[in-house]
Coordinates of all heavy atoms in Angstrom, one line a residue:
L292 N -70.0 176.6 -15.6 CA -70.8 176.0 -16.6 C -70.2 174.8 -17.3 O -70.8 173.8 -17.5 CB -71.1 177.1 -17.7 CG -71.9 178.3 -17.3 CD1 -72.0 179.3 -18.4 CD2 -73.3 177.8 -16.9
V293 N -68.9 174.9 -17.5 CA -68.2 173.8 -18.1 C -68.2 172.6 -17.2 O -68.3 171.4 -17.6 CB -66.7 174.2 -18.5 CG1 -65.9 173.0 -18.8 CG2 -66.7 175.2 -19.6
T294 N -68.0 172.8 -15.9 CA -68.0 171.7 -14.9 C -69.4 171.0 -14.9 O -69.4 169.7 -14.8 CB -67.7 172.3 -13.5 OG1 -66.4 172.9 -13.5 CG2 -67.7 171.2 -12.4
A295 N -70.5 171.8 -15.0 CA -71.8 171.2 -15.0 C -72.0 170.3 -16.3 O -72.5 169.2 -16.2 CB -72.9 172.3 -14.9
E296 N -71.5 170.9 -17.4 CA -71.7 170.2 -18.6 C -70.9 168.9 -18.6 O -71.3 167.9 -19.2 CB -71.3 171.1 -19.8 CG -71.5 170.5 -21.2 CD -71.1 171.4 -22.3 OE1 -70.7 172.5 -22.0 OE2 -71.2 171.0 -23.5
L297 N -69.7 169.0 -18.0 CA -68.8 167.8 -17.9 C -69.5 166.7 -17.2 O -69.4 165.5 -17.5 CB -67.5 168.2 -17.3 CG -66.4 167.1 -17.2 CD1 -66.1 166.6 -18.6 CD2 -65.2 167.6 -16.5
K298 N -70.2 167.0 -16.1 CA -70.9 166.0 -15.3 C -72.0 165.3 -16.2 O -72.1 164.1 -16.2 CB -71.5 166.6 -14.1 CG -70.5 167.0 -13.0 CD -71.2 167.6 -11.8 CE -70.2 168.0 -10.7 NZ -70.9 168.5 -9.5
T299 N -72.7 166.1 -16.9 CA -73.8 165.5 -17.8 C -73.2 164.6 -18.8 O -73.7 163.5 -19.1 CB -74.6 166.7 -18.4 OG1 -75.1 167.5 -17.4 CG2 -75.7 166.1 -19.3
V300 N -72.1 165.1 -19.5 CA -71.6 164.3 -20.6 C -71.0 163.0 -20.1 O -71.1 161.9 -20.7 CB -70.5 165.1 -21.4 CG1 -69.7 164.3 -22.3 CG2 -71.2 166.3 -22.1
T301 N -70.4 163.1 -18.9 CA -69.8 161.9 -18.3 C -70.9 160.8 -18.0 O -70.7 159.6 -18.2 CB -69.1 162.3 -17.0 OG1 -68.0 163.2 -17.3 CG2 -68.4 161.0 -16.3
S302 N -72.0 161.3 -17.5 CA -73.1 160.4 -17.3 C -73.6 159.7 -18.5 O -73.9 158.5 -18.6 CB -74.3 161.1 -16.6 OG -75.4 160.3 -16.4
L303 N -73.7 160.5 -19.6 CA -74.2 160.0 -20.9 C -73.2 159.0 -21.5 O -73.6 158.0 -22.1 CB -74.4 161.1 -21.9 CG -75.6 162.1 -21.6 CD1 -75.6 163.2 -22.6 CD2 -76.9 161.3 -21.6
V304 N -71.9 159.3 -21.3 CA -70.9 158.4 -21.8 C -71.0 157.0 -21.0 O -70.8 155.9 -21.6 CB -69.4 159.0 -21.6 CG1 -68.4 157.9 -21.9 CG2 -69.3 160.1 -22.6
E305 N -71.2 157.1 -19.7 CA -71.3 155.8 -19.0 C -72.6 155.0 -19.4 O -72.6 153.8 -19.3 CB -71.4 156.2 -17.5 CG -70.1 156.8 -16.9 CD -70.3 157.2 -15.5 OE1 -71.4 157.2 -15.0 OE2 -69.2 157.6 -14.8
Q306 N -73.6 155.7 -19.8 CA -74.8 155.0 -20.3 C -74.7 154.6 -21.8 O -75.6 154.0 -22.3 CB -76.1 155.9 -20.1 CG -76.3 156.2 -18.6 CD -77.5 157.2 -18.5 OE1 -78.3 157.5 -19.4 NE2 -77.7 157.7 -17.3
G307 N -73.7 155.0 -22.4 CA -73.5 154.7 -23.8 C -74.3 155.5 -24.8 O -74.4 155.1 -25.9
L308 N -74.7 156.7 -24.3 CA -75.6 157.5 -25.1 C -74.8 158.5 -25.9 O -75.3 159.2 -26.8 CB -76.6 158.3 -24.3 CG -77.6 157.3 -23.5 CD1 -78.5 158.2 -22.6 CD2 -78.4 156.5 -24.5
T309 N -73.5 158.7 -25.6 CA -72.6 159.6 -26.4 C -71.2 159.1 -26.4 O -70.8 158.2 -25.6 CB -72.6 161.0 -25.8 OG1 -71.9 161.9 -26.7 CG2 -72.0 161.1 -24.4
T310 N -70.4 159.7 -27.2 CA -69.0 159.2 -27.4 C -68.1 159.9 -26.3 O -68.4 161.0 -25.8 CB -68.4 159.5 -28.8 OG1 -68.4 160.9 -29.0 CG2 -69.3 158.8 -29.8
S311 N -67.0 159.3 -26.1 CA -66.0 159.8 -25.1 C -65.2 161.0 -25.6 O -64.6 161.8 -24.9 CB -65.0 158.7 -24.7 OG -64.3 158.2 -25.8
S312 N -65.2 161.2 -27.0 CA -64.5 162.3 -27.6 C -65.1 163.7 -27.1 O -64.4 164.7 -27.0 CB -64.5 162.2 -29.1 OG -65.8 162.2 -29.6
R313 N -66.4 163.7 -27.0 CA -67.1 164.9 -26.5 C -66.6 165.3 -25.1 O -66.4 166.4 -24.8 CB -68.6 164.7 -26.6 CG -69.3 166.0 -26.2 CD -70.8 165.8 -26.3 NE -71.5 167.0 -25.9 CZ -72.8 167.1 -25.8 NH1 -73.6 166.0 -26.1 NH2 -73.4 168.2 -25.5
R314 N -66.5 164.3 -24.2 CA -66.0 164.5 -22.9 C -64.5 165.1 -22.9 O -64.2 166.0 -22.1 CB -66.0 163.2 -22.0 CG -65.7 163.5 -20.6 CD -65.9 162.3 -19.7 NE -65.0 161.2 -20.2 CZ -65.0 159.9 -19.6 NH1 -65.9 159.7 -18.6 NH2 -64.3 159.0 -20.1
L315 N -63.7 164.6 -23.8 CA -62.4 165.1 -23.9 C -62.4 166.6 -24.3 O -61.6 167.4 -23.8 CB -61.5 164.3 -24.9 CG -61.2 162.9 -24.5 CD1 -60.5 162.1 -25.6 CD2 -60.4 162.9 -23.2
T316 N -63.2 166.9 -25.2 CA -63.3 168.3 -25.7 C -63.7 169.3 -24.5 O -63.1 170.3 -24.3 CB -64.4 168.5 -26.8 OG1 -64.0 167.6 -27.9 CG2 -64.5 169.9 -27.3
I317 N -64.6 168.8 -23.7 CA -65.1 169.6 -22.5 C -64.0 169.7 -21.5 O -63.7 170.8 -20.9 CB -66.4 169.0 -21.9 CG1 -67.5 169.1 -23.0 CG2 -66.7 169.8 -20.7 CD1 -68.8 168.4 -22.5

Side-chain angles (χ1 to χ4, degrees):
L292 294 175
V293 169
T294 299
E296 185 177 359
L297 181 60
K298 289 181 179 181
T299 303
V300 171
T301 300
S302 177
L303 293 174
V304 170
E305 291 175 352
Q306 297 176 12
L308 298 177
T309 186
T310 62
S311 59
S312 60
R313 184 178 178 186
R314 185 173 62 181
L315 293 175
T316 301
I317 296 174

